[in-house]
Amino acid sequence: MAVLVLSSERFAHHMTPPGHPERYQRAEVLDAIARRWASGGGALEPPPPATREALARVHDAWYLDRLDGLRGRAAMLDQDTFTSPESVEVALLAAGAAVAAVDHTLDEGGPAIALVRPPGHHAGRGRAMGFCLYNNVAVAAAHALARGVGRVAVVDIDVHHGNGTQAIFYDDPRVLYVSVHQYPFYPGTGAAGEVGTGDGAGFTVNVPLAAGAGDADYLLAQATVMTPILEAFAPDLVLVSAGFDAHASDPLGGMRMTTEGYAALVGHLKAVADARSDGRLAVVTEGGYDLSALAACAQATIDVLAGKAVAPPGPDASPDRAREALAAVLEAQRAFWPGL
Ligand SMILES: [Zn+2]
């Protein structure tokens, strides 16, 4: 199955203040990877902007109006979220790329990856936050539901908890939100006891890991909690919030993941999608603020999606640190997922 890459040089046209980690050079790194992919014969498409209809499934109308009003303007939306004159148009392309990735994997069957900025997973229904304007992955998940998909899994491997995505689907059993993240850490949410509410109880799975976790901790979390729950949920579509800021080189995150560790995580997610979702897998970038690590992880992710063999992670310190955290997650989730 062919992999579709969605990318645009326009993602570099969203400008943030000097010294801001979510800087335009991230888009240049991602677009260079996309161009290399295309020059090797890979499928590459520019994204369309997200429609108002698609955005309104997860964002409040007043919030969409407010962002529309920021076209052509520079503004500060929270202490670390800014717009420049082209930011709203660029953010619409990021959300549109996530939607197009979903359409590709639903219609063609192969995986897709949207190499986008700004990221999305902190954005709530009516709130820009943490570098995020529109919640790209949430827009994509809601688009899939609107197309008749019954069950969508969103797996968030960014070092930060995706509080926006969690909140948008917190009471919705059609969307399983699974996040592994550094905790305690920005934005402060994502404790093991946050499991969803109402009909959505059990369809939010948080795996909070202490700072310093590495490949072995993440892969243990995946093997003991994430993969068993994903397999039991049997999603019709797997969406990945692919933040690469748990990499050891990242200036914001405090984790010790390697590029090979990320490739292994993505490989297991692809295996779940192949086994349970007919291969329907859409990956959308989130954070990742060391340009070299961002490039390496994005390239490794594309390679994994394309079925290339990728070097396994090297030996890592004992994952004992993660065991206690994982015990709390299992305790919180066993009532909903008896197979754990
Ligand atoms: Zn992040």
Side-chain angles (χ1 to χ4, degrees), residues 125 165-173 175 177 191 193-204 206:
R125 288 189 175 275
T165 313
Q166 170 172 300
I168 286 166
F169 299 113
Y170 207 53
D171 62 356
D172 192 338
V175 178
Y177 177 68
E194 296 169 26
V195 298
T197 190
D199 290 344
F203 297 96
T204 291
N206 282 300

Side-chain angles (χ1 to χ4, degrees), residues 254-319:
M255 299 308 215
R256 295 188 296 107
M257 287 279 286
T258 67
T259 303
E260 292 75 18
Y262 263 114
L265 275 187
V266 173
H268 289 301
L269 294 174
K270 180 171 188 292
V272 168
D274 286 343
R276 302 295 162 121
S277 318
D278 272 343
R280 292 185 288 263
L281 175 63
V283 178
V284 183
T285 56
E286 299 279 0
Y289 303 101
D290 177 79
L291 296 180
S292 299
L294 175 66
C297 290
Q299 183 64 57
T301 298
I302 293 172
D303 290 345
V304 169
L305 296 185
K308 275 192 206 167
V310 175
D316 191 5
S318 156

Side-chain angles (χ1 to χ4, degrees), residues 22-250:
E22 210 290 280
R23 57 204 200 271
Y24 73 90
Q25 290 91 341
R26 299 180 67 245
E28 294 179 342
V29 161
L30 294 174
D31 203 45
I33 289 168
R35 287 170 187 279
R36 199 158 63 233
W37 169 251
S39 68
L44 170 66
E45 286 181 10
T51 63
R52 171 93 182 194
E53 180 188 14
L55 298 166
R57 293 189 189 107
V58 303
H59 291 294
D60 296 329
W62 68 265
Y63 177 68
L64 297 176
D65 293 341
R66 182 178 173 217
L67 288 188
D68 279 343
L70 295 178
R71 289 171 190 261
R73 290 177 47 200
M76 178 173 172
L77 300 179
D78 86 346
Q79 60 186 2
D80 45 32
T81 311
F82 301 85
T83 65
S84 61
E86 291 187 58
S87 294
V88 173
E89 278 89 356
V90 173
L92 288 171
L93 292 177
V99 168
V102 163
D103 281 337
H104 173 81
T105 199
L106 293 182
D107 295 336
E108 309 296 330
I113 179 167
L115 301 174
V116 306
R117 74 180 276 273
H121 71 156
H122 297 305
R125 288 189 175 275
R127 187 183 188 190
M129 181 179 174
F131 319 160
C132 305
L133 301 179
Y134 304 111
N135 193 314
N136 307 319
V137 155
V139 170
H143 173 73
L145 296 176
R147 284 196 51 175
V149 171
R151 288 184 308 280
V152 179
V154 177
V155 183
D156 190 328
I157 56 176
D158 190 279
V159 78
H160 302 98
H161 180 241
N163 59 311
T165 313
Q166 170 172 300
I168 286 166
F169 299 113
Y170 207 53
D171 62 356
D172 192 338
R174 300 172 300 171
V175 178
L176 174 72
Y177 177 68
V178 181
S179 177
V180 57
H181 46 268
Q182 184 175 331
Y183 185 89
F185 198 43
Y186 182 89
T189 49
E194 296 169 26
V195 298
T197 190
D199 290 344
F203 297 96
T204 291
V205 178
N206 282 300
V207 184
L209 299 179
D215 296 342
D217 301 293
Y218 272 78
L219 292 168
L220 183 68
Q222 193 169 42
T224 57
V225 178
M226 299 163 70
T227 299
I229 290 177
L230 284 167
E231 288 182 341
F233 181 67
D236 300 305
L237 165 69
V238 178
L239 269 164
V240 181
S241 261
F244 300 119
D245 41 8
H247 195 282
S249 303
D250 194 86

